[in-house]
Amino acid sequence: ARPARIFDRMSAPETPAAGAAATRSPLLSAGAQTYAAQLAVAVVSLANALLVARVLGPTGRGEVAFLTAIGYLTSNLATLGVQEANVNVAGERPDARAAMATNSAILAVILGLLTFGAVAGLVLLAPVVGGDVDRTLLWIVLATLPVLIFSTYLRFLIQGDYGFGITNLAWVLPAVVNVVVNGVLALLGVLSVATAVATWLAGQLIATALLAWHVRWRSVGFGRPSLSLLRSSLSFGLKSHVGRVMLLANYRIDQWILGAIAGSRQLGLYSVAVAFAEALFLLPTAIAAVQRPDLVRDDPAAAAGRTSRLFRFSVLVTLVGAVALIVLAPLLCVAVFGESFRGAVDDLRILSLGAFGIVALKQLGGALTARRKPTAASMAIGVAFIAMLVLDILLIPRHGGTGAAVASTIAYSIAGLVVAAMFVRKLGGRPRDLLPGTRDVREAFSGARRLTATTS
């Protein structure tokens, strides 16, 4: 018999929960749309990075990267993991979605303002934390934290009810705003660090407004807030929050440390390498997002089987992409960005090797959280965070961006092994279920052809 194609087998659980199948959207279409959105954001963001780097140089590019990294990191730090609870609530308690939406708005304001005060105080006490960027721009970025937090909450709440179309649009919009506005400003000769950061913030505001409009007029609306629901959301969210914060910190903490210790030029070079390397995470990120609502509704055996098969597929795709980046690194960094960015070549090659650990953290860690085992996922992410922090401090002062790349690759590789062990222990299965075989290669080619046909 012909082997079943991977996306055919993934579109429905082996043992669906009662009443759940009718609400599920096919994984292939949702996955293809989400992957297309991720790919579009990566391409447009890369074009924007090229534009900013060409006009402002490595130092200006580094300042923009530093400020946006602070906004990204602090907003996710302040969420307290409530977005993870939003996904599960949307799947398990449809009647509570409206209350969750209002709770999310209230929490976003409170937590955003508290985080603003905490970070501002830290920068005033230890100026090195704020790097060498303009302080006014830093305060403006921190002032938008409530909006950034609210956006995260709404995106997860909507995705928990299979609303991938609107969340994908909200994901793409800021990238489009960035490249269009920055392009016009560059042509007018007025592009600067300040205007680039302001454009980034405007894009985030537009995306958040779109998500809020969808919830209000196209979805459940904003209901009466619920204190009991708030308590349960915080209880669940805090269990996963430590891991999520450390995972997101891993994506940007090296840039923060690099910018603070080695300066904006080194960060500008490293950020270009990161922009290319992140292309390896697009498909795994899309798969992790679209499988999450199903995993909430599946029984444990079905969830483990679904996750293992999709993980093997992602590993094969990532292998091809990593080899391509290693070979093409000089062309991508120097030919595209210019000779002044030659220092990013080695950084990109090293970062490509750490992609497999990130794939494991995203897909296997996401499955653990979906199955209400967020602490197990957090343990693996904690390993990555500690390793990243220690290695960054040891390597960045002497080796700059290359040291940051080595630290990232080692940390993610160790964490990938840890989360795989946690996945097998908590959800069942065997370690070899996570290792691709010849059948997976055939199915990967089949799935890639179908995914390409769907996104074209």
Side-chain angles (χ1 to χ4, degrees), residues 210-236:
L210 176 65
L211 294 174
W213 172 85
H214 175 82
V215 170
R216 173 63 181 87
W217 299 106
R218 298 292 184 180
S219 185
V220 294
F222 291 90
R224 294 182 60 184
S226 169
L227 184 59
S228 61
L229 186 59
L230 176 62
R231 286 195 297 264
S232 63
S233 297
L234 286 171
S235 175
F236 178 84

PDB file of all heavy atoms in Angstrom, residues 210-236:
ATOM      1  N   LEU A 210      -6.318  45.723  14.684  1.00  0.00           N
ATOM      2  CA  LEU A 210      -6.998  44.751  13.824  1.00  0.00           C
ATOM      3  C   LEU A 210      -7.493  43.553  14.634  1.00  0.00           C
ATOM      4  O   LEU A 210      -8.642  43.103  14.460  1.00  0.00           O
ATOM      5  CB  LEU A 210      -6.039  44.284  12.725  1.00  0.00           C
ATOM      6  CG  LEU A 210      -6.571  43.182  11.793  1.00  0.00           C
ATOM      7  CD1 LEU A 210      -7.746  43.694  10.984  1.00  0.00           C
ATOM      8  CD2 LEU A 210      -5.453  42.683  10.870  1.00  0.00           C
ATOM      9  N   LEU A 211      -6.657  43.048  15.519  1.00  0.00           N
ATOM     10  CA  LEU A 211      -7.057  41.906  16.343  1.00  0.00           C
ATOM     11  C   LEU A 211      -8.211  42.273  17.276  1.00  0.00           C
ATOM     12  O   LEU A 211      -9.154  41.486  17.457  1.00  0.00           O
ATOM     13  CB  LEU A 211      -5.860  41.408  17.153  1.00  0.00           C
ATOM     14  CG  LEU A 211      -4.705  40.803  16.361  1.00  0.00           C
ATOM     15  CD1 LEU A 211      -3.535  40.500  17.283  1.00  0.00           C
ATOM     16  CD2 LEU A 211      -5.146  39.544  15.625  1.00  0.00           C
ATOM     17  N   ALA A 212      -8.141  43.462  17.868  1.00  0.00           N
ATOM     18  CA  ALA A 212      -9.225  43.902  18.756  1.00  0.00           C
ATOM     19  C   ALA A 212     -10.524  44.072  17.982  1.00  0.00           C
ATOM     20  O   ALA A 212     -11.615  43.716  18.476  1.00  0.00           O
ATOM     21  CB  ALA A 212      -8.833  45.212  19.445  1.00  0.00           C
ATOM     22  N   TRP A 213     -10.441  44.610  16.768  1.00  0.00           N
ATOM     23  CA  TRP A 213     -11.636  44.750  15.926  1.00  0.00           C
ATOM     24  C   TRP A 213     -12.238  43.382  15.632  1.00  0.00           C
ATOM     25  O   TRP A 213     -13.468  43.203  15.686  1.00  0.00           O
ATOM     26  CB  TRP A 213     -11.253  45.440  14.622  1.00  0.00           C
ATOM     27  CG  TRP A 213     -12.365  45.453  13.606  1.00  0.00           C
ATOM     28  CD1 TRP A 213     -13.381  46.354  13.500  1.00  0.00           C
ATOM     29  CD2 TRP A 213     -12.570  44.488  12.559  1.00  0.00           C
ATOM     30  NE1 TRP A 213     -14.214  46.020  12.461  1.00  0.00           N
ATOM     31  CE2 TRP A 213     -13.738  44.876  11.858  1.00  0.00           C
ATOM     32  CE3 TRP A 213     -11.886  43.351  12.154  1.00  0.00           C
ATOM     33  CZ2 TRP A 213     -14.225  44.154  10.782  1.00  0.00           C
ATOM     34  CZ3 TRP A 213     -12.360  42.616  11.076  1.00  0.00           C
ATOM     35  CH2 TRP A 213     -13.527  43.032  10.400  1.00  0.00           C
ATOM     36  N   HIS A 214     -11.392  42.417  15.326  1.00  0.00           N
ATOM     37  CA  HIS A 214     -11.894  41.073  15.014  1.00  0.00           C
ATOM     38  C   HIS A 214     -12.619  40.476  16.217  1.00  0.00           C
ATOM     39  O   HIS A 214     -13.716  39.911  16.071  1.00  0.00           O
ATOM     40  CB  HIS A 214     -10.734  40.165  14.598  1.00  0.00           C
ATOM     41  CG  HIS A 214     -11.145  38.743  14.369  1.00  0.00           C
ATOM     42  ND1 HIS A 214     -11.719  38.308  13.190  1.00  0.00           N
ATOM     43  CD2 HIS A 214     -11.086  37.643  15.181  1.00  0.00           C
ATOM     44  CE1 HIS A 214     -11.978  37.025  13.278  1.00  0.00           C
ATOM     45  NE2 HIS A 214     -11.621  36.594  14.478  1.00  0.00           N
ATOM     46  N   VAL A 215     -12.029  40.580  17.398  1.00  0.00           N
ATOM     47  CA  VAL A 215     -12.665  40.019  18.588  1.00  0.00           C
ATOM     48  C   VAL A 215     -13.991  40.713  18.864  1.00  0.00           C
ATOM     49  O   VAL A 215     -14.990  40.058  19.206  1.00  0.00           O
ATOM     50  CB  VAL A 215     -11.720  40.149  19.804  1.00  0.00           C
ATOM     51  CG1 VAL A 215     -12.450  39.790  21.103  1.00  0.00           C
ATOM     52  CG2 VAL A 215     -10.504  39.256  19.633  1.00  0.00           C
ATOM     53  N   ARG A 216     -14.024  42.025  18.684  1.00  0.00           N
ATOM     54  CA  ARG A 216     -15.234  42.783  19.006  1.00  0.00           C
ATOM     55  C   ARG A 216     -16.352  42.542  18.014  1.00  0.00           C
ATOM     56  O   ARG A 216     -17.519  42.353  18.402  1.00  0.00           O
ATOM     57  CB  ARG A 216     -14.889  44.287  19.050  1.00  0.00           C
ATOM     58  CG  ARG A 216     -16.109  45.202  19.221  1.00  0.00           C
ATOM     59  CD  ARG A 216     -16.821  44.958  20.532  1.00  0.00           C
ATOM     60  NE  ARG A 216     -17.987  45.817  20.681  1.00  0.00           N
ATOM     61  CZ  ARG A 216     -19.203  45.524  20.229  1.00  0.00           C
ATOM     62  NH1 ARG A 216     -19.415  44.381  19.582  1.00  0.00           N
ATOM     63  NH2 ARG A 216     -20.202  46.353  20.428  1.00  0.00           N
ATOM     64  N   TRP A 217     -16.050  42.520  16.718  1.00  0.00           N
ATOM     65  CA  TRP A 217     -17.093  42.503  15.709  1.00  0.00           C
ATOM     66  C   TRP A 217     -17.233  41.181  14.962  1.00  0.00           C
ATOM     67  O   TRP A 217     -18.281  40.929  14.380  1.00  0.00           O
ATOM     68  CB  TRP A 217     -16.860  43.627  14.692  1.00  0.00           C
ATOM     69  CG  TRP A 217     -16.895  44.977  15.308  1.00  0.00           C
ATOM     70  CD1 TRP A 217     -15.841  45.793  15.561  1.00  0.00           C
ATOM     71  CD2 TRP A 217     -18.054  45.669  15.788  1.00  0.00           C
ATOM     72  NE1 TRP A 217     -16.249  46.956  16.158  1.00  0.00           N
ATOM     73  CE2 TRP A 217     -17.629  46.914  16.299  1.00  0.00           C
ATOM     74  CE3 TRP A 217     -19.418  45.362  15.817  1.00  0.00           C
ATOM     75  CZ2 TRP A 217     -18.497  47.839  16.853  1.00  0.00           C
ATOM     76  CZ3 TRP A 217     -20.288  46.301  16.370  1.00  0.00           C
ATOM     77  CH2 TRP A 217     -19.830  47.512  16.862  1.00  0.00           C
ATOM     78  N   ARG A 218     -16.230  40.346  14.946  1.00  0.00           N
ATOM     79  CA  ARG A 218     -16.261  39.104  14.180  1.00  0.00           C
ATOM     80  C   ARG A 218     -16.195  37.851  15.037  1.00  0.00           C
ATOM     81  O   ARG A 218     -16.377  36.752  14.528  1.00  0.00           O
ATOM     82  CB  ARG A 218     -15.095  39.066  13.184  1.00  0.00           C
ATOM     83  CG  ARG A 218     -15.127  40.184  12.148  1.00  0.00           C
ATOM     84  CD  ARG A 218     -16.280  40.010  11.194  1.00  0.00           C
ATOM     85  NE  ARG A 218     -16.265  41.027  10.147  1.00  0.00           N
ATOM     86  CZ  ARG A 218     -17.173  41.105   9.172  1.00  0.00           C
ATOM     87  NH1 ARG A 218     -18.154  40.212   9.130  1.00  0.00           N
ATOM     88  NH2 ARG A 218     -17.109  42.062   8.266  1.00  0.00           N
ATOM     89  N   SER A 219     -15.938  38.027  16.315  1.00  0.00           N
ATOM     90  CA  SER A 219     -15.782  36.865  17.185  1.00  0.00           C
ATOM     91  C   SER A 219     -16.690  37.002  18.400  1.00  0.00           C
ATOM     92  O   SER A 219     -17.837  37.430  18.267  1.00  0.00           O
ATOM     93  CB  SER A 219     -14.306  36.724  17.584  1.00  0.00           C
ATOM     94  OG  SER A 219     -14.089  35.563  18.337  1.00  0.00           O
ATOM     95  N   VAL A 220     -16.175  36.698  19.573  1.00  0.00           N
ATOM     96  CA  VAL A 220     -17.013  36.601  20.767  1.00  0.00           C
ATOM     97  C   VAL A 220     -17.305  37.935  21.411  1.00  0.00           C
ATOM     98  O   VAL A 220     -18.202  38.047  22.256  1.00  0.00           O
ATOM     99  CB  VAL A 220     -16.337  35.678  21.809  1.00  0.00           C
ATOM    100  CG1 VAL A 220     -16.277  34.259  21.293  1.00  0.00           C
ATOM    101  CG2 VAL A 220     -14.944  36.188  22.152  1.00  0.00           C
ATOM    102  N   GLY A 221     -16.542  38.978  21.067  1.00  0.00           N
ATOM    103  CA  GLY A 221     -16.718  40.275  21.702  1.00  0.00           C
ATOM    104  C   GLY A 221     -16.014  40.339  23.048  1.00  0.00           C
ATOM    105  O   GLY A 221     -15.333  39.399  23.475  1.00  0.00           O
ATOM    106  N   PHE A 222     -16.171  41.458  23.726  1.00  0.00           N
ATOM    107  CA  PHE A 222     -15.565  41.657  25.041  1.00  0.00           C
ATOM    108  C   PHE A 222     -16.679  41.588  26.086  1.00  0.00           C
ATOM    109  O   PHE A 222     -17.542  42.450  26.149  1.00  0.00           O
ATOM    110  CB  PHE A 222     -14.847  43.004  25.096  1.00  0.00           C
ATOM    111  CG  PHE A 222     -13.622  43.063  24.228  1.00  0.00           C
ATOM    112  CD1 PHE A 222     -13.714  43.487  22.902  1.00  0.00           C
ATOM    113  CD2 PHE A 222     -12.383  42.672  24.721  1.00  0.00           C
ATOM    114  CE1 PHE A 222     -12.586  43.537  22.102  1.00  0.00           C
ATOM    115  CE2 PHE A 222     -11.253  42.721  23.923  1.00  0.00           C
ATOM    116  CZ  PHE A 222     -11.357  43.152  22.606  1.00  0.00           C
ATOM    117  N   GLY A 223     -16.639  40.532  26.904  1.00  0.00           N
ATOM    118  CA  GLY A 223     -17.680  40.326  27.904  1.00  0.00           C
ATOM    119  C   GLY A 223     -17.299  40.889  29.252  1.00  0.00           C
ATOM    120  O   GLY A 223     -16.328  41.649  29.396  1.00  0.00           O
ATOM    121  N   ARG A 224     -18.063  40.514  30.256  1.00  0.00           N
ATOM    122  CA  ARG A 224     -17.773  40.955  31.615  1.00  0.00           C
ATOM    123  C   ARG A 224     -16.514  40.260  32.107  1.00  0.00           C
ATOM    124  O   ARG A 224     -16.335  39.057  31.920  1.00  0.00           O
ATOM    125  CB  ARG A 224     -18.937  40.631  32.537  1.00  0.00           C
ATOM    126  CG  ARG A 224     -20.213  41.387  32.230  1.00  0.00           C
ATOM    127  CD  ARG A 224     -21.286  41.031  33.246  1.00  0.00           C
ATOM    128  NE  ARG A 224     -20.876  41.368  34.609  1.00  0.00           N
ATOM    129  CZ  ARG A 224     -21.604  41.089  35.684  1.00  0.00           C
ATOM    130  NH1 ARG A 224     -22.769  40.463  35.564  1.00  0.00           N
ATOM    131  NH2 ARG A 224     -21.167  41.427  36.881  1.00  0.00           N
ATOM    132  N   PRO A 225     -15.616  40.998  32.759  1.00  0.00           N
ATOM    133  CA  PRO A 225     -14.405  40.346  33.284  1.00  0.00           C
ATOM    134  C   PRO A 225     -14.752  39.344  34.373  1.00  0.00           C
ATOM    135  O   PRO A 225     -15.780  39.473  35.048  1.00  0.00           O
ATOM    136  CB  PRO A 225     -13.584  41.520  33.837  1.00  0.00           C
ATOM    137  CG  PRO A 225     -14.580  42.592  34.109  1.00  0.00           C
ATOM    138  CD  PRO A 225     -15.653  42.434  33.056  1.00  0.00           C
ATOM    139  N   SER A 226     -13.919  38.342  34.521  1.00  0.00           N
ATOM    140  CA  SER A 226     -14.161  37.286  35.506  1.00  0.00           C
ATOM    141  C   SER A 226     -12.935  37.130  36.389  1.00  0.00           C
ATOM    142  O   SER A 226     -11.845  36.793  35.901  1.00  0.00           O
ATOM    143  CB  SER A 226     -14.465  35.963  34.798  1.00  0.00           C
ATOM    144  OG  SER A 226     -14.451  34.881  35.708  1.00  0.00           O
ATOM    145  N   LEU A 227     -13.086  37.369  37.679  1.00  0.00           N
ATOM    146  CA  LEU A 227     -11.982  37.250  38.614  1.00  0.00           C
ATOM    147  C   LEU A 227     -11.541  35.793  38.772  1.00  0.00           C
ATOM    148  O   LEU A 227     -10.343  35.498  38.839  1.00  0.00           O
ATOM    149  CB  LEU A 227     -12.381  37.829  39.971  1.00  0.00           C
ATOM    150  CG  LEU A 227     -11.285  37.852  41.044  1.00  0.00           C
ATOM    151  CD1 LEU A 227     -10.081  38.662  40.569  1.00  0.00           C
ATOM    152  CD2 LEU A 227     -11.838  38.406  42.352  1.00  0.00           C
ATOM    153  N   SER A 228     -12.511  34.879  38.819  1.00  0.00           N
ATOM    154  CA  SER A 228     -12.148  33.465  38.972  1.00  0.00           C
ATOM    155  C   SER A 228     -11.392  32.964  37.739  1.00  0.00           C
ATOM    156  O   SER A 228     -10.422  32.195  37.856  1.00  0.00           O
ATOM    157  CB  SER A 228     -13.409  32.623  39.196  1.00  0.00           C
ATOM    158  OG  SER A 228     -14.288  32.715  38.081  1.00  0.00           O
ATOM    159  N   LEU A 229     -11.826  33.395  36.573  1.00  0.00           N
ATOM    160  CA  LEU A 229     -11.133  33.012  35.351  1.00  0.00           C
ATOM    161  C   LEU A 229      -9.739  33.629  35.312  1.00  0.00           C
ATOM    162  O   LEU A 229      -8.783  32.998  34.842  1.00  0.00           O
ATOM    163  CB  LEU A 229     -11.937  33.457  34.132  1.00  0.00           C
ATOM    164  CG  LEU A 229     -11.422  33.017  32.756  1.00  0.00           C
ATOM    165  CD1 LEU A 229     -11.360  31.509  32.662  1.00  0.00           C
ATOM    166  CD2 LEU A 229     -12.313  33.597  31.664  1.00  0.00           C
ATOM    167  N   LEU A 230      -9.629  34.845  35.819  1.00  0.00           N
ATOM    168  CA  LEU A 230      -8.330  35.504  35.877  1.00  0.00           C
ATOM    169  C   LEU A 230      -7.371  34.725  36.764  1.00  0.00           C
ATOM    170  O   LEU A 230      -6.202  34.522  36.416  1.00  0.00           O
ATOM    171  CB  LEU A 230      -8.497  36.931  36.401  1.00  0.00           C
ATOM    172  CG  LEU A 230      -7.209  37.732  36.604  1.00  0.00           C
ATOM    173  CD1 LEU A 230      -6.483  37.924  35.283  1.00  0.00           C
ATOM    174  CD2 LEU A 230      -7.534  39.083  37.223  1.00  0.00           C
ATOM    175  N   ARG A 231      -7.860  34.260  37.892  1.00  0.00           N
ATOM    176  CA  ARG A 231      -7.006  33.488  38.807  1.00  0.00           C
ATOM    177  C   ARG A 231      -6.541  32.191  38.161  1.00  0.00           C
ATOM    178  O   ARG A 231      -5.365  31.831  38.251  1.00  0.00           O
ATOM    179  CB  ARG A 231      -7.753  33.198  40.113  1.00  0.00           C
ATOM    180  CG  ARG A 231      -7.896  34.402  41.030  1.00  0.00           C
ATOM    181  CD  ARG A 231      -8.301  33.956  42.427  1.00  0.00           C
ATOM    182  NE  ARG A 231      -9.618  33.313  42.419  1.00  0.00           N
ATOM    183  CZ  ARG A 231     -10.754  33.936  42.690  1.00  0.00           C
ATOM    184  NH1 ARG A 231     -10.739  35.229  42.978  1.00  0.00           N
ATOM    185  NH2 ARG A 231     -11.898  33.286  42.669  1.00  0.00           N
ATOM    186  N   SER A 232      -7.456  31.488  37.511  1.00  0.00           N
ATOM    187  CA  SER A 232      -7.070  30.217  36.876  1.00  0.00           C
ATOM    188  C   SER A 232      -6.129  30.448  35.695  1.00  0.00           C
ATOM    189  O   SER A 232      -5.209  29.656  35.459  1.00  0.00           O
ATOM    190  CB  SER A 232      -8.321  29.455  36.417  1.00  0.00           C
ATOM    191  OG  SER A 232      -9.033  30.183  35.431  1.00  0.00           O
ATOM    192  N   SER A 233      -6.346  31.539  34.970  1.00  0.00           N
ATOM    193  CA  SER A 233      -5.465  31.852  33.840  1.00  0.00           C
ATOM    194  C   SER A 233      -4.051  32.158  34.314  1.00  0.00           C
ATOM    195  O   SER A 233      -3.072  31.698  33.726  1.00  0.00           O
ATOM    196  CB  SER A 233      -6.010  33.053  33.058  1.00  0.00           C
ATOM    197  OG  SER A 233      -7.273  32.767  32.503  1.00  0.00           O
ATOM    198  N   LEU A 234      -3.961  32.935  35.386  1.00  0.00           N
ATOM    199  CA  LEU A 234      -2.642  33.255  35.929  1.00  0.00           C
ATOM    200  C   LEU A 234      -1.968  32.019  36.504  1.00  0.00           C
ATOM    201  O   LEU A 234      -0.749  31.844  36.364  1.00  0.00           O
ATOM    202  CB  LEU A 234      -2.778  34.330  37.003  1.00  0.00           C
ATOM    203  CG  LEU A 234      -3.067  35.748  36.503  1.00  0.00           C
ATOM    204  CD1 LEU A 234      -3.397  36.673  37.671  1.00  0.00           C
ATOM    205  CD2 LEU A 234      -1.877  36.293  35.723  1.00  0.00           C
ATOM    206  N   SER A 235      -2.749  31.148  37.130  1.00  0.00           N
ATOM    207  CA  SER A 235      -2.185  29.929  37.707  1.00  0.00           C
ATOM    208  C   SER A 235      -1.561  29.053  36.622  1.00  0.00           C
ATOM    209  O   SER A 235      -0.433  28.570  36.763  1.00  0.00           O
ATOM    210  CB  SER A 235      -3.278  29.154  38.455  1.00  0.00           C
ATOM    211  OG  SER A 235      -2.781  27.919  38.922  1.00  0.00           O
ATOM    212  N   PHE A 236      -2.309  28.856  35.530  1.00  0.00           N
ATOM    213  CA  PHE A 236      -1.770  28.051  34.431  1.00  0.00           C
ATOM    214  C   PHE A 236      -0.660  28.797  33.710  1.00  0.00           C
ATOM    215  O   PHE A 236       0.387  28.231  33.384  1.00  0.00           O
ATOM    216  CB  PHE A 236      -2.873  27.698  33.434  1.00  0.00           C
ATOM    217  CG  PHE A 236      -2.386  26.909  32.261  1.00  0.00           C
ATOM    218  CD1 PHE A 236      -2.259  25.529  32.341  1.00  0.00           C
ATOM    219  CD2 PHE A 236      -2.040  27.524  31.067  1.00  0.00           C
ATOM    220  CE1 PHE A 236      -1.804  24.796  31.264  1.00  0.00           C
ATOM    221  CE2 PHE A 236      -1.587  26.809  29.987  1.00  0.00           C
ATOM    222  CZ  PHE A 236      -1.460  25.423  30.085  1.00  0.00           C
TER     223      PHE A 236
END
